[in-house]
Amino acid sequence: MGAIVTVGCQWGDEGKGKIIDVIAQEADCIVRHQGGNNAGHSLRIGDQDYVLHLIPSGILYPGRRCIIGAGVVLDPLVLWEEITHLRSRGVAVSPENLMISGNASLILSYHRLLDGLDEEARGAARVGTTRRGIGPAYMDKVGRLSLRVFDLIDADRFRERLRPVLQHKNRVLSQVYGHAPVNYDEMLATYLPMGEKLAPFVGDEVPELNAAIDAGKRVLFEGAQGALLDVTYGTYPYVTSSSTGAGGACTGAGVGPTKVEKVLGIAKAYTTRVGEGPFPTEADPATADLIRNAGPIGEFGATTGRPRRCGWFDVPLIRRSVMASGVTHLALTRLDILSEVSIIKVCVGYRLGRHRLEVAPADAALLSQVEPEYEEIPTWGVDLSGITNEADLPSGAREYLRRLEDWVGRPIQMVSVGPGRRQTIIRAESLFS
Ligand code: GDP
């Protein structure tokens, strides 16, 4: 078995970090391929919590090769801080176990500045960005204005490429936003030392990854955000700026789709969403509050601390993600949270006027008009967080899994019942088979 791509099937925050961490135990190489430091995977290892924004979670295992692909937009200051922080906690991070693609586009100070200014200027067209410069950095990538990691590690090239780009950015800053310019020399003073520090990590992921897969190495592509936030197929405009679906692994890490053997869709046992946009199965405020505060780690953003909107499992939405990413298997997370609610509902279809929809509509405007059709599932009311064998699950929880598999049409291979590594039921001999 070669490569597994993991993809969040909802609006992000599905618990991908934990699932990826468990699979990473079996992997040789772990790859991040899209997004930037707007993602935040939270991991609990023993009694230690880690939040990783850029570096693949495989870094926490000795001997794994971690790669940041060219599809990522990379803030060198944030990456260096993450490396330093991990090292201060005793995690080895070196060019032996971490490689950064030289073709990754940089997030620089003016991207962060423009992210905030642009969001303010949009008024009612705001999308709720994290203001970390991710959107403007992707705009520059597509607009062919990016400076890349290869530029950063060559001081002369950085000086030369930055000058005209910064002149252009400063015209936008002053003429569009009435903002003071960004100083060229200050940027050099900030970023050139970063280039020196990061240079030993820089490489070319294309030959390395293709050779690894061809040699039978187990390669894990870790998705950030969720399929419904995909810039093309998500609930536009309330999406992120990158391709979060499984195809993003190919375009963001330089491997072809023929190399991907399995796509693992990760979904929570219910649904959450951050920020604006339609959410058909959003629960009433009291139930949403219950779900949000249940369990050891509530539904609040790992990176932003924002409370998440909470609601029921939405089969039509998952079916859409399964199709758009070619999901072959599922991992279900946070099943333990449902022990605390007094009814469990699952949306199995939508009504839209006289029509019944099995799959969420492509148009986000229609998604805000659909009426969910619910089925109620018997509750189990038993704490699941200590269960590691499927046979020990209460019959209600097993029934829930069986019915979700039927509705979605894909086998659930992993069930997570808590944030810890061991709080996982694995329903397969090997995750790479
Ligand atoms: P990600 O970005 O998809 O990795 O998701 P987040 O890190 O934002 O949110 C998932 C949170 O839930 C993290 O704090 C995880 O440690 C935690 N978590 C993951 N799986 C489970 C689970 O099965 N049960 C509980 N209670 N928490 C979980």
Side-chain angles (χ1 to χ4, degrees):
M1 163 72 66
I4 296 183
V5 173
T6 54
V7 56
C9 284
Q10 294 157 323
W11 278 295
D13 311 317
E14 295 91 349
K16 294 178 295 295
K18 136 100 198 238
I19 293 294
I20 289 161
D21 175 63
V22 172
I23 306 173
Q25 294 178 92
E26 288 188 29
D28 299 301
C29 178
I30 301 98
V31 188
R32 178 79 197 274
H33 52 82
Q34 47 76 220
N37 54 302
N38 49 347
H41 288 322
S42 316
L43 304 165
R44 170 162 299 171
I45 293 159
D47 59 354
Q48 297 282 308
D49 287 321
Y50 296 87
V51 180
L52 297 172
H53 298 293
L54 276 170
I55 299 180
S57 45
I59 203 77
L60 301 172
Y61 290 102
R64 303 305 191 280
R65 182 84 170 140
C66 293
I67 295 182
I68 299 179
V72 169
V73 284
L74 191 127
D75 186 327
L77 301 172
V78 173
L79 178 63
W80 187 248
E81 200 180 294
E82 201 160 299
I83 292 173
T84 311
H85 176 72
L86 283 170
R87 284 176 171 168
S88 76
R89 294 181 66 182
V91 179
V93 186
S94 75
E96 287 285 300
N97 63 350
L98 177 67
M99 190 244 259
I100 309 161
S101 172
N103 279 329
S105 292
L106 297 173
I107 299 177
L108 297 171
S109 53
Y110 50 76
H111 293 119
R112 287 197 304 269
L113 195 55
L114 285 165
D115 206 356
L117 292 168
D118 184 57
E119 183 77 346
E120 291 302 323
R122 283 171 178 236
R126 264 201 300 272
V127 289
T129 105
T130 53
R131 303 186 183 209
R132 291 183 178 166
I134 282 99
Y138 274 117
M139 283 157 70
D140 276 3
K141 174 178 173 171
V142 177
R144 290 153 295 179
L145 267 180
S146 279
L147 274 75
R148 293 176 152 199
V149 171
F150 278 137
D151 299 315
L152 181 68
I153 61 171
D154 178 335
D156 288 341
R157 191 161 137 182
F158 189 77
R159 282 193 199 94
E160 194 184 316
R161 288 233 44 228
L162 180 65
R163 194 180 289 281
V165 172
L166 188 61
Q167 276 168 0
H168 169 66
K169 294 291 169 192
N170 278 336
R171 274 196 295 275
V172 173
L173 278 170
S174 67
Q175 291 172 21
V176 177
Y177 299 105
H179 196 278
V182 173
N183 185 282
Y184 173 77
D185 291 324
E186 281 175 17
M187 279 195 73
L188 294 184
T190 303
Y191 289 104
L192 289 181
M194 287 297 127
E196 270 177 44
K197 288 182 167 120
L198 294 177
F201 294 90
V202 177
D204 179 1
E205 76 276 32
V206 177
E208 176 166 342
L209 276 174
N210 281 277
I213 295 172
D214 290 346
K217 294 253 168 72
R218 288 165 297 186
V219 178
L220 172 63
F221 292 90
E222 60 166 62
Q225 289 96 22
L228 299 172
L229 295 173
D230 185 276
V231 67
T232 309
Y233 286 106
T235 46
Y236 196 89
Y238 304 109
V239 294
T240 194
S241 315
S242 59
S243 295
T244 57
C250 298
T251 55
V255 298
T258 46
K259 296 275 157 85
V260 176
E261 297 205 24
K262 175 173 172 183
V263 179
L264 183 76
I266 305 170
K268 271 191 243 220
Y270 49 92
T271 311
T272 59
R273 174 158 206 182
V274 175
E276 314 296 318
F279 184 174
T281 61
E282 187 160 16
D284 62 83
T287 309
D289 220 41
L290 195 69
I291 295 174
R292 188 177 301 117
N293 291 299
I297 298 157
E299 291 290 359
F300 299 89
T303 302
T304 60
R306 286 190 280 189
R308 298 173 183 150
R309 296 156 71 194
C310 299
W312 303 113
F313 194 89
D314 187 331
V315 174
L317 271 182
I318 300 280
R319 285 193 186 124
R320 189 170 179 80
S321 299
V322 164
M323 285 181 190
S325 279
V327 167
T328 55
H329 301 78
L330 294 171
L332 195 74
T333 62
R334 297 182 69 95
L335 186 62
D336 53 306
I337 299 302
L338 292 185
S339 300
E340 307 204 22
V341 298
S342 53
I343 53 158
I344 299 176
K345 296 204 281 184
V346 176
C347 167
V348 295
Y350 297 147
R351 288 256 152 226
L352 185 64
R354 286 182 297 111
H355 301 283
R356 184 170 192 280
L357 305 182
E358 299 268 327
V359 179
D363 185 353
L366 286 185
L367 192 64
S368 60
Q369 294 167 30
V370 298
E371 286 281 324
E373 278 186 2
Y374 287 113
E375 294 223 3
E376 282 200 18
I377 307 281
T379 50
W380 49 86
V382 177
D383 178 16
L384 305 184
S385 61
I387 297 180
T388 50
N389 281 318
E390 186 174 357
D392 299 331
L393 283 175
S395 60
R398 269 183 281 149
E399 171 76 0
Y400 191 57
L401 299 180
R402 197 187 58 70
R403 294 180 74 181
L404 290 189
E405 284 184 324
D406 274 358
W407 282 316
V408 176
R410 293 292 183 277
I412 298 174
Q413 220 175 38
M414 299 172 78
V415 181
S416 173
V417 293
R421 276 178 180 170
R422 277 197 287 274
Q423 293 172 295
T424 317
I425 299 167
I426 299 182
R427 304 162 97 198
E429 288 262 302
S430 158
L431 294 167
F432 278 85
S433 61

